[in-house]
Amino acid sequence: MTDYPGPDRKETLRSLATKLDTVLQVIGRIRFFVMLSFMVAAALLEVTVVGLFFPYLDILLNPENIQSSQLGSYVYSTLSLSSTDQFLRLFGGVLIAVVIVSASVGAYSRVFIGRYAWSAYASLTSTMYRVYLSKPYIRWRESNSDVLAKNVINEVTVFTNGLLTPVSEFLARVIVLTVWVVLLVIVD
């Protein structure tokens, strides 16, 4: 068995970073960071829903915990609520509103990821065609234009569907996981 040295790991990472930078220049960095901010907002809202749900269940099962909780007693006295039922309705309404907002932002972030991937597909396809067509005519005289079109469409499709969309989804899940871990560390 022969040892194949292969590319240097640092060079490979540097090459990937350079390619990613080039792709982001073509697609647009601003849209990428807008997509990233939607994913962060969706992750924070998802954690907020769960963070509110369990205290609501605790208060629902043990209404006397309203007065023992510092925040509960503050809200109860500030809003001059007359009964625990009013507090539970208010808390439940807030929880439902946060769930609706969280679901809306989460759905919009998924739509934005899809739009971003489609925009990337369109931008990269037109850029690759421009690069191919900027070559001298002699180069294309002997080659089949169908092969050119097939190569461009296949390469860009593989990139957007096989890399960009899954990486965006993975990044969204990593953000949710990070927010969960930070919440657990803060609470515990």
Side-chain angles (χ1 to χ4, degrees), residues 85-104:
D85 286 343
Q86 283 182 329
F87 183 84
L88 288 172
R89 283 189 205 109
L90 176 69
F91 197 173
V94 168
L95 182 61
I96 289 171
V98 172
V99 166
I100 291 170
V101 169
S102 173
S104 300

Side-chain angles (χ1 to χ4, degrees), residues 20 32 35 39 113 159-174:
L20 180 63
F32 177 76
M35 178 185 70
M39 290 188 310
I113 288 171
F159 174 76
T160 55
N161 294 340
L163 182 69
L164 186 64
T165 302
V167 166
S168 299
E169 291 290 331
F170 175 75
L171 190 59
R173 296 296 168 213
V174 166

Side-chain angles (χ1 to χ4, degrees), residues 24 28-42 105 108-110 112-113 116 171 175:
L24 285 178
R29 284 191 173 103
I30 293 173
R31 290 194 73 200
F32 177 76
F33 288 112
V34 168
M35 178 185 70
L36 192 63
S37 66
F38 269 110
M39 290 188 310
V40 168
V105 171
Y108 189 75
S109 73
R110 299 291 182 253
F112 200 85
I113 288 171
Y116 182 77
L171 190 59
I175 291 170

Side-chain angles (χ1 to χ4, degrees), residues 93-166:
V94 168
L95 182 61
I96 289 171
V98 172
V99 166
I100 291 170
V101 169
S102 173
S104 300
V105 171
Y108 189 75
S109 73
R110 299 291 182 253
V111 168
F112 200 85
I113 288 171
R115 285 183 181 172
Y116 182 77
W118 180 252
S119 172
Y121 176 83
S123 297
L124 289 172
T125 302
S126 72
T127 301
M128 285 185 72
Y129 275 130
R130 253 185 274 129
V131 168
Y132 275 147
L133 294 176
S134 69
K135 304 286 185 207
Y137 176 72
I138 299 289
R139 184 177 196 282
W140 304 115
R141 215 170 84 193
E142 297 169 358
S143 63
N144 188 347
S145 63
D146 288 342
V147 173
L148 165 73
K150 185 182 71 135
N151 286 344
V152 168
I153 290 171
N154 284 343
E155 288 176 22
V156 174
T157 300
V158 165
F159 174 76
T160 55
N161 294 340
L163 182 69
L164 186 64
T165 302

Side-chain angles (χ1 to χ4, degrees), residues 34-54:
V34 168
M35 178 185 70
L36 192 63
S37 66
F38 269 110
M39 290 188 310
V40 168
L44 290 173
L45 284 169
E46 219 173 285
V47 170
T48 302
V49 166
V50 175
L52 287 174
F53 185 72
F54 287 113

